[in-house]
Amino acid sequence: MSEIHGLAVHAAGAQLLPYKFDPGELKPYEVEIKVSHCGVCRSDIHLIDNDWGISKYPFIPGHEIVGTIVAIGEHVRSLAAGQRVGVGWQADSCGMCEWCRKGEEHLCAQAQPTCVGRNGGFADKVRVNSRFAIPLPKALESENAAPLLCAGITVYSPLRKHGVNPSSRVGVIGIGGLGHIGIQFARVFGAEVTAFSTSKDKESEARELGAHNFVNTRDTGALKKVAGSFDLLLSTINADQDWSAYISALRPNGMLCLVGAPASPLQLQAPPLIGGQRAVCGSSTGSPRDLHEMLDVAARHEVKAIIEKFAMAKASEAVSRVKKNQIRYRAVLAT
Ligand SMILES: [Zn+2]
Ligand SMILES: [Zn+2]
């Protein structure tokens, strides 16, 4: 019998407590991974608190996992024991529906999140379908790569999907866990990058990360000055905004893409959408294929998350600091 030991929450908003379970026999298409690092994502906090009403207790959070394969199911051919892999938000999908067949497994109606109805990476080991264990390029350090598996893919996918290229003008709204990686990837795609933030003191760091321009959104006139400027605005923030002002900041055919979820409904005027053929859309994480590509691009262009490292035993402290927005920019647990 193989036991998995981790830190679990037993009820909405509860503390992480030591927890062990017997995962049973390894399924034919699964791999078992010995966890070395796991990022703490804001979605883990939402799951801990059951903000989305989908949490199943008890569960072990953690879906930005890096580790080494220690066992493979009998039908797994693509991976071998000893390989270093990463796992993100998703651990399995049906493999047969329209979306799975198209290589868009993250859109599968039966997608299984890594830590909803399953146990995630705040643990010594984790099991996932082998299709969702992505080999990590050598050049990536485990601790900086872990947050790429959720935060990284979340900002990479829309840049890729909406055809960002060297003539594009991209704005990244919010310089936090997502935004600081979004700026780096947008720069890698060759775009002219503008960082939007409420804190003026983030300007120099935004520029170091690759931003060409900085807009202080506390300055009400500043957004007006950039009217008609952007092909893509990537919003990483959860706070309500003057969305009309951002729509006005788009060029014709421009797109406002939300990866952060503000609490209130969006207030929008139709004419600027119609006249300039502008659009508002959302983007979730990405498929295994997207993850492979994103990790390869990150390795080649030295994109990495800026992290604060915690021992796995200090997971509670990391979670509470993420909750209070005290981390610049991602917390990563190391076993
Ligand atoms: Zn499917
Ligand atoms: Zn996440």
Side-chain angles (χ1 to χ4, degrees):
M1 192 182 87
S2 70
E3 263 180 356
I4 292 181
H5 295 252
L7 295 162
V9 271
H10 288 71
Q15 291 294 313
L16 290 163
L17 294 172
Y19 175 72
K20 63 178 180 188
F21 68 99
D22 173 9
E25 290 234 332
L26 189 62
K27 296 198 184 93
Y29 291 99
E30 277 186 339
V31 292
E32 185 168 276
I33 300 159
K34 184 176 182 297
V35 178
S36 69
H37 297 82
C38 188
V40 180
C41 178
R42 191 152 281 277
S43 300
D44 289 312
I45 316 271
H46 289 303
L47 291 176
I48 291 170
D49 293 344
N50 200 17
D51 290 336
W52 300 327
I54 58 169
S55 307
K56 290 172 190 155
Y57 302 92
F59 77 97
I60 299 174
H63 59 271
E64 291 182 336
I65 305 164
V66 173
T68 307
I69 294 183
V70 288
I72 63 168
E74 56 174 326
H75 293 329
V76 176
R77 300 283 176 268
S78 56
L79 297 168
Q83 236 177 321
R84 187 175 66 137
V85 293
V87 174
W89 173 253
Q90 197 176 353
D92 205 350
S93 73
C94 84
M96 291 176 289
C97 72
E98 176 188 357
W99 308 105
C100 286
R101 292 201 310 273
K102 279 188 190 165
E104 295 189 286
E105 291 88 340
H106 58 299
L107 303 178
C108 173
Q110 291 171 59
Q112 288 188 25
T114 301
C115 45
V116 180
R118 311 177 62 105
N119 287 303
F122 294 6
D124 59 350
K125 285 177 285 183
V126 70
R127 288 181 179 188
V128 300
N129 184 302
S130 63
R131 291 184 290 127
F132 295 86
I134 318 294
L136 284 190
K138 262 208 181 82
L140 293 180
E141 279 188 62
S142 297
E143 59 188 50
N144 303 106
L148 296 178
L149 292 152
C150 183
I153 192 67
T154 298
V155 291
Y156 180 87
S157 285
L159 296 170
R160 183 75 162 78
K161 212 159 35 200
H162 301 302
V164 171
N165 65 61
S167 76
S168 306
R169 292 156 200 184
V170 173
V172 178
I173 307 169
I175 308 169
L178 294 169
H180 90 284
I181 306 174
I183 291 170
Q184 296 178 61
F185 274 128
R187 182 69 190 242
V188 165
F189 277 70
E192 182 181 81
V193 186
T194 300
F196 291 80
S197 175
T198 51
S199 29
K200 183 83 183 85
D201 62 329
K202 286 195 179 167
E203 174 166 358
S204 61
E205 192 149 34
R207 290 187 188 276
E208 274 165 40
L209 289 164
H212 300 89
N213 313 303
F214 181 87
V215 174
N216 178 358
T217 50
R218 286 226 195 277
D219 168 4
T220 46
L223 252 180
K224 283 214 177 89
K225 272 188 219 141
V226 294
S229 299
F230 300 97
D231 298 295
L232 178 69
L233 283 170
L234 188 59
S235 175
T236 69
I237 46 183
N238 302 307
D240 295 324
Q241 302 290 314
D242 178 1
W243 297 110
S244 288
Y246 282 110
I247 297 291
S248 300
L250 294 173
R251 283 153 51 84
N253 288 329
M255 180 97 65
L256 167 63
C257 181
L258 307 181
V259 294
S264 312
L266 270 56
Q267 296 271 349
L268 295 172
Q269 301 290 333
L273 295 177
I274 297 167
Q277 294 187 172
R278 300 176 176 95
V280 180
C281 68
S283 182
S284 91
T285 54
S287 67
R289 184 189 63 190
D290 300 332
L291 281 161
H292 276 279
E293 183 188 290
M294 179 274 301
L295 291 170
D296 202 33
V297 170
R300 198 180 312 161
H301 296 280
E302 296 176 11
V303 172
K304 55 184 181 186
I306 297 173
I307 64 149
E308 275 184 49
K309 197 154 83 170
F310 297 79
M312 184 64 81
K314 295 266 168 85
S316 293
E317 188 189 326
V319 164
S320 93
R321 294 209 26 224
V322 170
K323 223 170 175 169
K324 292 183 210 149
N325 281 325
Q326 288 174 341
I327 305 280
R328 276 199 178 184
Y329 287 97
R330 295 297 277 192
V332 173
L333 309 174
T335 57

